[in-house]
Amino acid sequence: MVMTQSFVDVPEREIRLFVRSREGTDKSKPPLVLLHGWPASSRGWEPVVDALPTDRRVLCPDLRGLGQSERRGPVDRFAKQELAKDIISLLNVLNVEGFVVAGQDWGGSAAQEIALMLPQRTKQLIVMNINLINNPSGNMRGLKAQMLSPENPRWYMAFQSAPGLAESMIPGSEDQWIRYFFEKGAGPDAVFAEDILASYIEDYARPDTPRCGASYYRSMMLDAGRWAGLGGTRFTQPSLLLYGDQDPFLTPEFYTDYQTCFDDVTKVDLPGGHFIQDEKPLEVANAIAQFLRD
C-alpha cells in the first residue's frame, strides 16, 4: 500500500507538521505511530513500513524542526516532553484515540514521554536505541561508559549546545555533517539507502535547520531535570525494547536494570548500530510485527 504525504496544522502547538501515512485494512487495530530521531526524518521509516503487514494504519510525522516540518520554536519547545505534546496534539487533530507508539533516538524519548502522559491511549510502546528516561541507574552507567568510549558522543553534544556554533559552521557542509554521524553510528555491515540518506542531507540544508537540530541538545538540561525524578516510574503498556547491539553511542550499559522500568517488556537485540531502522529495515519490521502479533 502506498504511503501518502501531507502537512497538518496543529494549532494548539502553533506548528505545522509533515506526515507520511498509510491506511490499514483493519480499522479495529490501533494505528502505529513511528517517530524518527536526529538528524533524520520520517522518510527513513518507508522501507520498514513497506515490510510491515498492511492491516494496521501507520503514521510517520516529521518532528518539529526536522524533515519537512516547520522550523519553529525556542529551545524549550525542543525538550522531549514538548515534542511529545506536539505528537499528542497531532493525533488529536487526526482523531486518533488509541495507538501504538514507536521511536528511535530522540523520537524514542518522545515516545516514552507520550506513554507516561497517556497510559490508557498508548496501547503498546516500542523504544529503539535511546536511553530509558525512567532508568537513572542505567543512565549513570551509560554516561560513564560514554566517557571512556573512543566514539564518545559528548563532544558533538557540547558542539550542538554552544550558542550559535551549529548555525555558523554547518550551513554548506550538510553532506559531510550527516554522513559523518551515519558512518560513525553504523554497525560494521551497515548499508544505507543512498536516496534516503540524500533526503536527510537535503532536509538539513533547509533554512534554520542547524538551530533547530542543535535545540534538541540545547534542551537536554530541561530533559535531565525532568527525568531525574522519574526513577521508580514504570511503563504500564506491553513494551518492546529493540536494540541495535553494536551502537557506539547508546552502549549496553544504558539498559542496565531495564526490567525495572516496565510492567511487561520484551528485549530484542539486532546486529546493527544506532540507526537500526536505516541499517536493517526488514529485521526491524519483522521484530515490530512479531511484537504486535504477540
Side-chain angles (χ1 to χ4, degrees):
M1 299 180 72
V2 178
M3 296 190 76
T4 61
Q5 304 177 17
S6 61
F7 288 94
V8 180
D9 289 315
V10 187
E12 183 180 26
R13 301 292 295 167
E14 300 180 329
I15 191 75
R16 195 182 200 204
L17 299 178
F18 181 78
V19 183
R20 291 179 167 88
S21 61
R22 187 200 70 184
E23 293 303 312
T25 58
D26 187 345
K27 304 301 183 185
S28 69
K29 292 187 175 180
L32 172 62
V33 181
L34 298 172
L35 304 179
H36 67 86
W38 179 90
S41 76
S42 62
R43 175 73 191 282
W45 291 116
E46 286 186 348
V48 176
V49 175
D50 286 344
L52 286 172
T54 58
D55 56 345
R56 192 182 299 265
R57 183 185 184 190
V58 182
L59 299 168
C60 306
D62 284 346
L63 297 179
R64 175 187 293 263
L66 293 175
Q68 297 183 53
S69 287
E70 272 192 309
R71 274 64 171 153
R72 177 175 290 190
V75 167
D76 60 6
R77 280 294 174 116
F78 291 84
K80 311 316 165 289
Q81 188 181 41
E82 294 299 317
L83 298 179
K85 291 177 182 178
D86 288 346
I87 301 305
I88 291 170
S89 294
L90 170 69
L91 295 175
N92 291 340
V93 169
L94 298 175
N95 297 313
V96 173
E97 183 55 36
F99 54 86
V100 178
V101 64
Q104 183 266 345
D105 189 75
W106 289 131
S109 299
Q112 294 175 70
E113 293 280 16
I114 291 169
L116 290 179
M117 285 191 282
L118 298 179
Q120 299 302 317
R121 289 174 63 183
T122 308
K123 305 305 180 183
Q124 290 165 286
L125 170 66
I126 302 169
V127 180
M128 300 167 54
N129 285 77
I130 193 64
N131 62 298
L132 300 172
I133 65 176
N134 57 343
N135 186 15
S137 62
N139 291 335
M140 184 60 67
R141 291 186 177 93
L143 289 173
K144 290 181 179 178
Q146 274 187 350
M147 298 303 292
L148 299 174
S149 169
E151 303 294 346
N152 184 353
R154 310 306 291 182
W155 74 264
Y156 77 79
M157 295 180 184
F159 173 89
Q160 295 268 61
S161 298
L165 197 58
E167 293 90 327
S168 64
M169 296 189 69
I170 294 174
S173 301
E174 292 86 3
D175 188 278
Q176 298 94 321
W177 178 247
I178 298 297
R179 291 183 188 278
Y180 174 86
F181 289 104
F182 274 81
E183 177 184 340
K184 289 296 183 181
D189 63 343
V191 177
F192 295 112
E194 180 58 33
D195 60 328
I196 293 177
L197 200 58
S199 76
Y200 297 160
I201 294 165
E202 181 182 358
D203 285 336
Y204 222 88
R206 295 175 184 271
D208 205 28
T209 306
R211 179 191 69 83
C212 291
S215 293
Y216 280 76
Y217 296 86
R218 294 169 184 170
S219 60
M220 286 176 63
M221 291 302 294
L222 298 173
D223 299 324
R226 168 171 160 72
W227 297 345
L230 293 181
T233 303
R234 296 170 69 94
F235 296 107
T236 57
Q237 307 85 357
S239 300
L240 172 65
L241 189 55
L242 187 56
Y243 180 49
D245 62 5
Q246 298 162 64
D247 187 339
F249 305 143
L250 263 294
T251 58
E253 289 84 356
F254 276 97
Y255 296 116
T256 305
D257 302 325
Y258 76 90
Q259 298 95 331
T260 66
C261 301
F262 303 87
D263 286 350
D264 177 3
V265 63
T266 300
K267 187 170 184 285
V268 174
D269 292 347
L270 295 176
H274 183 70
F275 303 101
I276 189 63
Q277 76 271 28
D278 290 280
E279 297 178 43
K280 300 290 179 68
L282 295 181
E283 290 85 344
V284 167
N286 289 337
I288 291 175
Q290 181 66 50
F291 172 66
L292 295 178
R293 283 195 298 270
D294 293 345

